[in-house]
Amino acid sequence: MGWDFSTDPEYQEQLDWVRDFVHDEIEPLDLAFPHHIVYDKSHPVHREVVKPLQAEVKRRGMWAWHLDRELGGTGEGQVKLALLNEILGRSSWAPMVFGAQAPDSGNAEILATYGTEEQKAKYLQPLLDGEIVSCFSMTEPQGGADPGVFQCAAVRDGDEYVINGEKWFSSNLRYAAFAIVMVVTDPDVPIYQGASMMLVPTDSPGVNIVRNVGIGGERLGEGSHAYVRYENVRVPADHVLGGEGQAFVIAQTRLGGGRIHHAMRSVGMCQRALDMLCERALSRTTQGSLLADKQMVQQYVADSWIQLHQFRLQVMHAAWVCEHVGGHKARLEIAGVKVATAKVLQEIVFRAMHLHGALGVSNEMPLIGMWTTAPVMGIADGPTEVHQVTIARQVLKSYKPAAGPWPSEHLPGRVAAAREKFASLLDEQAML
Ligand SMILES: Cc1cc2nc3c(=O)[nH]c(=O)nc-3n(C[C@H](O)[C@H](O)[C@H](O)COP(=O)(O)OP(=O)(O)OC[C@H]3O[C@@H](n4cnc5c(N)ncnc54)[C@H](O)[C@@H]3O)c2cc1C
């Protein structure tokens, strides 16, 4: 039997170390520096503080856990990664310190899987070494959830491709050394066969950021999600990743991993919110008794714990399917955790925030910042509805229509069949 919910003691020891390390060494970075500095490698904090912390993570064998061993990761699999990411999800800086930050983790995965030796040497290695950051540039201003409307295109010109078009919400482009840009390379076939992934050094002439868009409370002009115009950008012909026409196959590999990693980290964020909720319930007295003694507050605690526990098991199961069956066969499970992530975050963080009263919604607690993560999780890597469609399609695949006019569970037919099966016994009974 393989239903085992325990963590092996050796790994638990590592996790305990990670928990203390994140709390003591990394969370102070969250408190001292704005979030976008996480990706700004030119900031001195990277050289002076982050590099030595990364060295310690590497020394402990915890670096780039999501990647196979031969690619510089630990190769220890998704289940252990889920437990690790729960802790890293408590801090904005922790994924960077552990070499597991989005979008670099997903970009590294597709470079490792589809890249040529030259592409790996030039782009993957410095990414794995933590020397550079990267960008994934797919969404366009006219629509992200529908790739059918994508227009950004690359045209072959001798030994080069020339890229023209716009992309929207290309996270961290302003700090990235290169971007993986989805482009139309063959407009004469459906986009699912006619799009390619292009490796574009961001210092190429024509990579023009129109503006950097922020989210939540970031001031206009201060964000790091680029609205970018690629204007006659020339890249060598060998900069196509995985061959022409492979963009959608590659995107699925990339986005699947990214989605489940976000979910793993969100478990940690929800746990942090629940910790705050419980501490508050036990600390605040109103109308003569602790909040924790009020039944409605007890309901908050209970509902939050149940939701978090269900979500955590769902994420762990999806991680297990990815590890043991394969990420490409985990579409249903990954779509499931993707949809759950936004909902669970929204509800648990809201309760924690609400229970802190004015303090909860103030800028003196991290809760309102955490809460803005919920709608982001419902949009980034595809909106909730799109994943609900995937779930419904996958679930419906294992069903077929009823054979006749009545549902297969229609009682009159089933009762008649059961009566016939036990006819002799029923007759005897009737004679008594
Ligand atoms: C913080 C953040 C970071 C991001 N980073 C990146 C990045 O690095 N690179 C990148 O390429 N993109 C990135 N994105 C973009 C993201 O992938 C898109 O926002 C997402 O795919 C949705 O596209 P859209 O914003 O154009 O919304 P639309 O496609 O316009 O959808 C808007 C809404 O319409 C509804 N809708 C859409 N499709 C359907 C449907 N089929 N059925 C029912 N309802 C539907 C949903 O309610 C949806 O939320 C990021 C987004 C965010 C918020």
Side-chain angles (χ1 to χ4, degrees):
M1 277 298 291
W3 291 84
D4 184 350
F5 297 98
S6 61
T7 308
D8 74 58
E10 227 174 82
Y11 189 57
Q12 188 57 54
E13 262 180 43
Q14 278 174 288
L15 292 175
D16 292 342
W17 172 80
V18 173
R19 193 173 294 281
D20 291 344
F21 185 69
V22 168
H23 182 268
D24 300 344
E25 307 295 340
I26 306 181
E27 283 183 21
L29 290 167
D30 289 303
L31 300 170
F33 299 96
H35 172 70
H36 65 93
I37 302 294
V38 172
Y39 293 92
D40 182 1
K41 290 276 177 182
S42 68
H43 194 284
V45 70
H46 280 275
R47 193 178 57 249
E48 286 172 28
V49 183
V50 177
K51 267 218 162 271
L53 295 178
Q54 289 174 329
E56 180 62 11
V57 168
K58 287 179 188 171
R59 202 181 64 73
R60 292 233 166 209
M62 306 289 285
W63 179 255
W65 197 282
H66 54 288
L67 288 178
D68 288 343
R69 202 176 291 274
E70 65 274 16
L71 300 171
T74 64
E76 292 274 0
Q78 296 291 318
V79 173
K80 284 184 171 176
L81 176 64
L83 294 169
L84 174 65
N85 266 338
E86 280 179 11
I87 306 173
L88 305 190
R90 298 175 77 98
S91 151
S92 301
W93 282 80
M96 176 61 81
V97 173
F98 280 75
Q101 73 283 358
D104 300 324
S105 52
N107 288 346
E109 269 181 83
I110 55 177
L111 272 165
T113 310
Y114 299 99
T116 61
E117 288 313 311
E118 291 73 30
Q119 289 170 348
K120 286 184 193 171
K122 190 164 176 194
Y123 297 108
L124 177 61
Q125 200 52 52
L127 197 58
L128 290 182
D129 293 342
E131 298 298 333
I132 56 170
V133 296
S134 62
C135 167
F136 187 69
S137 191
M138 175 172 167
T139 304
E140 298 192 5
Q142 69 276 17
D146 177 9
V149 301
F150 288 176
Q151 295 168 357
C152 184
V155 176
R156 184 78 184 247
D157 181 22
D159 290 341
E160 292 177 325
Y161 283 95
V162 185
I163 304 173
N164 277 291
E166 291 187 342
K167 294 285 178 183
W168 169 242
F169 257 79
S170 292
S171 302
N172 306 321
L173 185 70
R174 64 191 293 187
Y175 305 121
F178 70 94
I180 300 178
V181 186
M182 188 190 270
V183 287
V184 177
T185 40
D186 185 352
D188 298 328
V189 297
I191 188 141
Y192 291 96
Q193 285 102 49
S196 308
M197 292 295 189
M198 207 64 76
L199 290 159
V200 179
T202 51
D203 59 3
S204 310
V207 178
N208 297 324
I209 294 180
V210 180
R211 59 178 187 270
N212 284 300
V213 184
I215 49 170
E218 287 176 304
R219 290 198 320 193
L220 266 181
E222 281 196 351
S224 51
H225 307 284
Y227 172 25
V228 54
R229 206 165 275 150
Y230 296 100
E231 291 177 292
N232 292 316
V233 178
R234 289 187 166 268
V235 291
D238 64 3
H239 273 43
V240 184
L241 184 63
E244 265 200 28
Q246 294 301 305
F248 281 88
V249 176
I250 297 175
Q252 272 317 321
T253 312
R254 188 196 175 284
L255 294 170
R259 286 168 189 142
I260 192 169
H261 298 165
H262 274 314
M264 293 166 177
R265 288 189 287 265
S266 298
V267 171
M269 199 181 288
C270 289
Q271 182 64 57
R272 190 172 167 213
L274 180 60
D275 294 347
M276 285 190 254
L277 187 157
C278 292
E279 185 191 76
R280 176 73 172 185
L282 290 168
S283 311
R284 183 78 162 187
T285 301
T286 187
Q287 294 183 342
S289 67
L290 280 174
L291 286 178
D293 295 330
K294 318 274 183 209
Q295 284 190 340
M296 274 191 269
V297 174
Q298 291 168 351
Q299 188 179 357
Y300 291 165
V301 174
D303 286 350
S304 301
W305 182 86
I306 292 166
Q307 262 182 317
L308 174 54
H309 198 57
Q310 288 175 338
F311 178 50
R312 185 174 188 237
L313 289 176
Q314 187 186 2
V315 173
M316 293 301 292
H317 175 255
W320 184 91
V321 175
C322 288
E323 182 171 328
H324 293 277
V325 187
H328 58 293
K329 294 212 171 133
R331 275 194 86 186
L332 174 62
E333 288 77 9
I334 291 177
V337 295
K338 170 74 173 74
V339 171
T341 300
K343 184 171 163 55
V344 174
L345 258 177
Q346 178 182 341
E347 292 182 9
I348 297 180
V349 176
F350 184 87
R351 288 189 203 107
M353 193 166 62
H354 188 67
L355 213 64
H356 282 77
L359 183 62
V361 297
S362 75
N363 59 5
E364 295 188 357
M365 289 296 287
L367 284 158
I368 195 103
M370 290 162 70
W371 197 51
T372 58
T373 312
V376 168
M377 288 298 160
I379 297 285
D381 293 343
T384 295
E385 293 89 334
V386 171
H387 296 283
Q388 286 168 323
V389 169
T390 302
I391 295 169
R393 284 194 181 139
Q394 296 279 325
V395 170
L396 288 170
K397 262 188 199 166
S398 56
Y399 290 88
K400 45 183 196 283
W406 305 109
S408 56
E409 289 284 350
H410 191 223
L411 285 175
R414 296 202 69 201
V415 170
R419 288 221 165 112
E420 199 181 320
K421 184 177 170 81
F422 301 115
S424 57
L425 274 175
L426 288 168
D427 287 349
E428 262 176 45
Q429 197 75 14
M431 282 190 280
L432 290 177

